Amino acid sequence: MKRRTFLQAATVGAASSAIAAPAIAQSNPEIRWRLTSAFPKSLDTLFGGGETLAKLVSEATDGKFQIQPFAPGEIVGAPQALDAIAGGTVEMGHTCSYYYVGKDPTFAIGTTLPFGLNSRQTNAWLYHGGGNALLNEFYAKHNVYALPAGNTGVQMGGWFRKEIKTVQDLQGLKMRIAGLAGQIMGKLGVVPQQIAGGDLYPSLERGTIDAAEWVAPYDDEKLGLNKVAPYYYYPGFWEGGPAIHFYINLQKWNELPKAYQAALQAAAGYVNVDTQAKYDAKNPAALRSLIGAGAQLRPFSQEIMDAAYKAANEVYDETSAKNADFKKLYDSYKAFRSEEYLWFQVAEYAFDTFMIRARARG
């Protein structure tokens, strides 16, 4: 009797193991993805974000979910990243939404709008103002899903081969500038150019372009832009808080086990914070180094800032009138911006202004 009971128990146990083992295997499958980055490997802040994500996801899944980052050109070029992700050539990418305004101007809002939100406000809108949900509703039309994955903070205005003092000085100037900022600067006489980061130095050196904006001192110094364009302008009013995203093929995202989705979300969240922390830590020393090497630091004139602000609002009104997707996102973005600056002008502005003056006094 005892033997029969033991055998029955053993049989049930074996059957349970046979059922449980495949279930566990199915919930934790071996997955290999490729990630195409829009950023050259020399930029450890940006390309490094993809590497950090891959490391964290692997560790969180005991090595079962592997993601391999590739630099631009290793699989596809930076301008082709969105199509490669949407079409399934690669499973995901690390890029900026505004690179694809040629497809639809709404893509600009996924990164930033000129005279828009700063980085903290951008994260607030994305995470708690419904921004990323609205963006993913739009991105779904292009077969991608997005996770916030970095910010640079307010960027510099870029490198110019000659001094720019008035709007008249912008007439006919060929400038590498991304997103809707190109249209806005176009209203001021600039001839906007779309050029990948890795091509900026030779383009400036040959005089193919007269100016180029990229990011900020740390990355700009790595690209050597000060060697071919001496005047360094600020602020990059077109990029007050530009968000970078991880874009994932929508079907691939939906097929992932929930645990793997959670691992990706957590890793992307870490990259989102870590990227700007690196910039904030490294930019001061890089700026001192650039100035020490001869860079001529210049603020944009009030005339240029005012003219650009007026042109920006014209572009947003014109685009909203003919593009329903843009209008839906811009209405949310604009309303959130209004509330944010109502608050920031109180405590934040007062504190920052005092600290800047206190430092100047020594």
Side-chain angles (χ1 to χ4, degrees):
M1 188 69 179
K2 290 181 179 179
R3 181 175 179 275
R4 187 182 302 120
T5 302
F6 173 79
L7 289 173
Q8 287 173 343
T11 301
V12 171
S16 298
S17 297
I19 293 170
I24 293 171
Q26 288 170 9
S27 62
N28 296 280
E30 298 275 352
I31 294 179
R32 299 289 183 270
W33 277 12
R34 298 190 301 172
L35 179 156
T36 184
S37 177
F39 314 110
K41 289 182 178 180
S42 61
L43 302 182
D44 59 303
T45 45
L46 294 173
F47 185 82
E51 294 177 315
T52 299
L53 176 98
K55 178 177 181 291
L56 292 174
V57 168
S58 177
E59 291 175 350
T61 61
D62 293 325
K64 291 186 175 181
F65 188 4
Q66 296 287 331
I67 299 169
Q68 183 176 1
F70 291 88
E74 291 183 336
I75 300 177
V76 296
Q80 292 78 45
L82 181 66
D83 287 338
I85 300 161
T89 300
V90 294
E91 290 79 12
M92 67 181 299
H94 190 207
T95 185
C96 295
S97 184
Y98 67 4
Y99 292 159
Y100 311 106
V101 294
K103 292 180 176 292
D104 188 315
T106 310
F107 276 103
I109 302 175
T111 303
T112 189
L113 291 177
F115 300 103
L117 299 166
N118 67 26
S119 60
R120 283 178 54 191
Q121 295 164 347
T122 295
N123 278 328
W125 179 65
L126 289 172
Y127 288 120
H128 296 287
N132 213 54
L134 286 172
L135 285 168
N136 274 321
E137 181 182 309
F138 168 71
Y139 292 146
K141 298 179 181 181
H142 298 269
N143 200 37
V144 295
Y145 181 84
L147 296 170
N151 204 300
T152 66
V154 182
Q155 293 191 3
M156 294 294 284
W159 298 89
F160 291 72
R161 289 160 59 92
K162 65 175 185 177
E163 280 196 271
I164 303 296
K165 296 181 178 180
T166 68
V167 173
Q168 183 60 37
D169 293 332
L170 297 172
Q171 303 305 304
L173 184 136
K174 298 187 294 296
M175 181 179 184
R176 183 275 181 191
I177 186 166
L180 289 186
Q183 291 185 33
I184 291 162
M185 294 300 282
K187 283 179 172 281
L188 306 186
V190 169
V191 182
Q193 309 287 312
Q194 290 279 359
I195 300 174
D199 297 325
L200 296 184
Y201 184 98
S203 297
L204 280 168
E205 185 179 39
R206 292 193 300 264
T208 305
I209 56 176
D210 305 305
E213 57 83 27
W214 182 238
V215 180
Y218 182 67
D219 281 353
D220 291 0
E221 186 176 35
K222 281 180 172 291
L223 294 180
L225 302 181
N226 58 304
K227 299 174 183 177
V228 286
Y231 298 101
Y232 199 21
Y233 278 86
Y234 67 91
F237 51 81
W238 46 82
E239 295 188 88
I244 307 155
H245 279 79
F246 288 119
Y247 291 94
I248 305 167
N249 176 277
L250 188 57
Q251 280 70 46
K252 292 294 183 180
W253 169 257
N254 290 332
E255 291 169 3
L256 279 180
K258 293 297 182 183
Y260 287 9
Q261 288 184 348
L264 268 176
Q265 288 173 321
Y270 179 89
V271 171
N272 194 35
V273 173
D274 188 54
T275 300
Q276 184 166 353
K278 285 180 180 177
Y279 277 119
D280 286 343
K282 295 176 181 296
N283 277 331
L287 182 59
R288 285 196 296 271
S289 175
L290 287 167
I291 293 173
Q296 302 295 306
L297 192 63
R298 300 281 191 275
F300 283 123
S301 68
Q302 191 64 45
E303 176 190 338
I304 289 175
M305 295 290 287
D306 288 342
Y309 184 76
K310 179 175 181 291
N313 287 313
E314 290 173 358
V315 168
Y316 304 148
D317 290 343
E318 292 163 3
T319 308
S320 293
K322 57 188 178 184
N323 187 311
D325 286 329
F326 182 92
K327 185 179 188 306
K328 182 176 182 178
L329 272 154
Y330 179 59
D331 285 349
S332 169
Y333 185 94
K334 182 180 180 182
F336 198 85
R337 181 185 62 183
S338 179
E339 286 296 302
E340 287 294 290
Y341 278 109
L342 182 65
W343 156 241
F344 266 66
Q345 71 180 350
V346 182
E348 294 283 343
Y349 179 77
F351 179 77
D352 289 344
T353 301
F354 174 82
M355 290 304 298
I356 289 169
R357 290 173 178 169
R359 177 185 173 280
R361 292 194 301 267

